């Protein structure tokens, strides 16, 4: 069962690893990212942030979609973390069972618009968020579970 799909440019770090995993009751974290599986430094860093007693799986986007579709993840309370809105949209489009996306941290870069204290979107990312909302996905903005939930459609 997918508990949450989170977009965070830092992927797995203390805030995500502990507050979200505990809040969700997740027993497995899936890092869905095309770079991390082939980048030993990033992979090692992410493994260090994993909470004890929680399974960590690192797969590229295509393999993540395949795993979700195959049912192999069904036995877990799954917390999926991606690095970008584009990756989140790929998962949502390929696996319509994903009904909740959290925008947690997207760093500012040239051309982005700040929509919350930690979320900055390019125009094309705003369109992808709108597309997910149109597909019936709740897209919310929160850094940690104790923050007030803001629905993305209210700030776009």
């Amino acid at each position: 069962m997918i508990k949450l799909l989170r977009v965070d440019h830092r992927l797995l770090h203390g805030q995500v690893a502990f507050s979200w995993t505990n809040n969700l009751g997740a027993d497995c974290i899936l890092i869905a990212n095309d770079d991390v599986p082939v980048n030993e430094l990033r992979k090692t860093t992410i493994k260090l942030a994993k909470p004890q007693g929680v399974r960590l799986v690192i797969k590229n986007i295509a393999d993540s979609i395949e795993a979700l579709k195959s049912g192999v993840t069904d036995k877990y309370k799954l917390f999926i973390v991606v690095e970008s809105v584009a990756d989140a949209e790929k998962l949502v489009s390929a696996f319509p069972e994903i009904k909740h996306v959290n925008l947690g941290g997207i760093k500012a870069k040239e051309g982005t618009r700040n929509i919350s204290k930690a979320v900055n979107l390019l125009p094309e990312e705003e369109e992808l968020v709108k597309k997910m909302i149109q597909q019936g996905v709740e897209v919310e903005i929160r850094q940690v579970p104790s923050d007030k939930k803001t629905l993305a459609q209210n700030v776009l």
Side-chain angles (χ1 to χ4, degrees):
M1 171 193 348
I2 298 170
K3 303 297 276 181
L4 183 66
L5 169 57
R6 176 178 169 91
V7 179
D8 192 321
H9 68 269
R10 297 167 294 176
L11 290 170
L12 197 62
H13 54 94
Q15 180 174 288
V16 169
F18 297 99
S19 62
W20 279 106
T21 304
N22 290 338
N23 180 269
L24 297 168
D27 57 11
C28 183
I29 299 169
L30 169 60
I31 302 296
N33 181 277
D34 287 336
D35 178 57
V36 174
V38 296
N39 184 323
E40 288 305 315
L41 180 62
R42 288 186 81 192
K43 193 187 309 183
T44 300
T45 304
I46 285 169
K47 286 178 179 177
L48 291 172
K50 178 190 87 66
Q52 263 190 316
V54 177
R55 181 177 163 88
L56 176 65
V57 178
I58 299 171
K59 291 184 175 294
N60 66 35
I61 298 296
D63 289 347
S64 296
I65 291 168
E66 189 178 312
L68 290 168
K69 286 184 171 182
S70 76
V72 73
T73 62
D74 291 354
K75 63 186 172 198
Y76 296 107
K77 294 182 202 119
L78 193 60
F79 177 30
I80 306 170
V81 186
V82 297
E83 193 171 34
S84 69
V85 171
D87 287 347
E89 192 278 327
K90 286 176 193 166
L91 290 175
V92 165
S93 290
F95 198 72
E97 290 83 348
I98 298 172
K99 293 295 180 200
H100 191 182
V101 173
N102 166 261
L103 303 179
I106 304 168
K107 66 183 171 190
K109 52 188 174 270
E110 189 166 334
T112 59
R113 180 169 74 104
N114 179 266
I115 62 167
S116 82
K117 67 180 175 188
V119 176
N120 303 277
L121 298 177
L122 292 165
E124 55 269 28
E125 291 171 324
E126 287 191 33
E127 291 307 312
L128 291 174
V129 169
K130 289 175 185 173
K131 180 180 176 187
M132 289 188 284
I133 292 167
Q134 289 166 352
Q135 292 172 317
V137 176
E138 180 186 83
V139 181
E140 54 114 329
I141 303 166
R142 275 191 293 177
Q143 285 187 284
V144 292
S146 59
D147 285 349
K148 182 178 175 288
K149 181 194 295 192
T150 301
L151 294 178
Q153 68 251 31
N154 295 339
V155 294
L156 290 180

